Amino acid sequence: MADLKERLLPPRPASAINLRDSSYRPSASGRLPFHGVDVSGLKKRGQGLRSWIRVDTSGNSQVIEVDKFTMMRRCDLPARDLRLLDPLFVYPSTILGREKAIVVNLEQIRCIITADEVLLLNSLDSYVLQYVVELQRRLQAAGVGEVWQSEGQELNRRGYRSFDNMYESTSPDYLPFEFRALEVALEAACTFLDSQAAELEIEAYPLLDELTSKISTLNLERVRRLKSRLVALTRRVQKVRDEIEQLMDDDGDMAEMYLTEKKRRMESSSFYGDQSLMGYRSNDGALSISAPVSPVSSPPDSRKLDKCLSIARSRHESVRSSESATNSIEELEMLLEAYFVVIDSTLNKLTSLKEYIDDTEDFINIQLDNVRNQLIQFELLLTTATFVVAIFGVVAGIFGMNFEIPMFDYPGAFKWVLLITGVCGLIIFSAFLWFFKYRRLMPL
């Protein structure tokens, strides 16, 4: 383990490493979520040091403190990629495939995935801790499965029948390390967004039903806040969905993310280079011991032989790399497709909730329009009645003028004036009502 640590970590001063023994103590429940996590080491110390959680291929974790430039050299990443992981800035969800690393920024999960390790920003967020715990569990379970698989292959070589041959099936293909880490990150992000959508649904439907039964300023304000949260969550879910879809549509980006295969090819190419150099030296020594050869003709022959061998090796490696790239693209495409279905289902939930809110708003607008129409009809009736009453005012104004007529000498003339004016007013009011009904301005 010490040799692996020295090989993976670049040389740094002793103050740059912060490993506390207290982090290995079990919690009150007796569980060890992951080794080496020191919550007090979240604060930056020194000049530009940042706390990271490192998880290797065996599932072992530790907290390290590395500055920005050391991390850039370690993972061969530009500064703009590390800026995506800065918690002080808010960036949309992004998955970037680089030469030696995969930069993942999915909601709370901000990490760098290489072929040998996962470097995660140390945080007190529960989803970050759950990501580390789940990644450790799967890596340890995969390690047990690989042990069983290696033992089964050893038994097959000794002549025993394996379970795969017994049931005529092949053993499952295990995903490389970077795809396992990416799968856990995608699962954590999709689970977080789906839980947010579920909480929003639980809160939204009763509130909308209450608003349809009772329209008030308080309920309208609550629905407005709910809709703003829904729009923000939909935007985040849509960004994750678009990012996964963009990766699925680009075969080059998916092939770039196969870090284990690229590392294996680099190691094999360096191995073949060393072998060719040793072979050239051995051939040189053999020629020197054997019979004398013309110094003019021997170097071109050896160069021709090395050139032919290099061409054959390059062709062989290109065929193997193309086949492995195709297989890796298929594996990664199936992985992305599975979580694309999950995030698309979450987006459909939010879309259905938005449609329900829109339908509720339309229903409320219809109710308000109906009330407004009733008020207009009532105002129309009041205007008509006011017009009829104004006729009495006109008659009273006429008879109130200062002139004498013979009608003033009869005691019953006042009753006849009231009777005739009332009948005329009723006739005019009825005529207005018939006109309103004829024009369908009022349901009578």
Side-chain angles (χ1 to χ4, degrees), residues 17-32:
I17 303 176
N18 183 18
L19 298 178
R20 305 287 181 87
D21 295 334
S22 60
S23 60
Y24 291 91
R25 296 175 184 175
S27 60
S29 59
R31 298 181 180 178
L32 285 172

Side-chain angles (χ1 to χ4, degrees), residues 189-208:
C190 293
T191 303
F192 174 73
L193 293 174
D194 189 70
S195 63
Q196 292 286 324
E199 292 177 0
L200 203 62
E201 280 184 335
I202 294 174
E203 183 181 355
Y205 287 112
L207 179 59
L208 294 173

Side-chain angles (χ1 to χ4, degrees), residues 18-65:
N18 183 18
L19 298 178
R20 305 287 181 87
D21 295 334
S22 60
S23 60
Y24 291 91
R25 296 175 184 175
S27 60
S29 59
R31 298 181 180 178
L32 285 172
F34 52 92
H35 299 290
V37 175
D38 184 14
V39 296
S40 63
L42 300 181
K43 191 176 180 180
K44 290 193 276 186
R45 300 187 179 93
Q47 296 180 353
L49 294 181
R50 190 180 294 276
S51 180
W52 296 80
I53 301 176
R54 177 183 175 272
V55 183
D56 58 9
T57 56
S58 301
N60 301 321
S61 65
Q62 61 181 357
V63 174
I64 60 176
E65 288 190 353

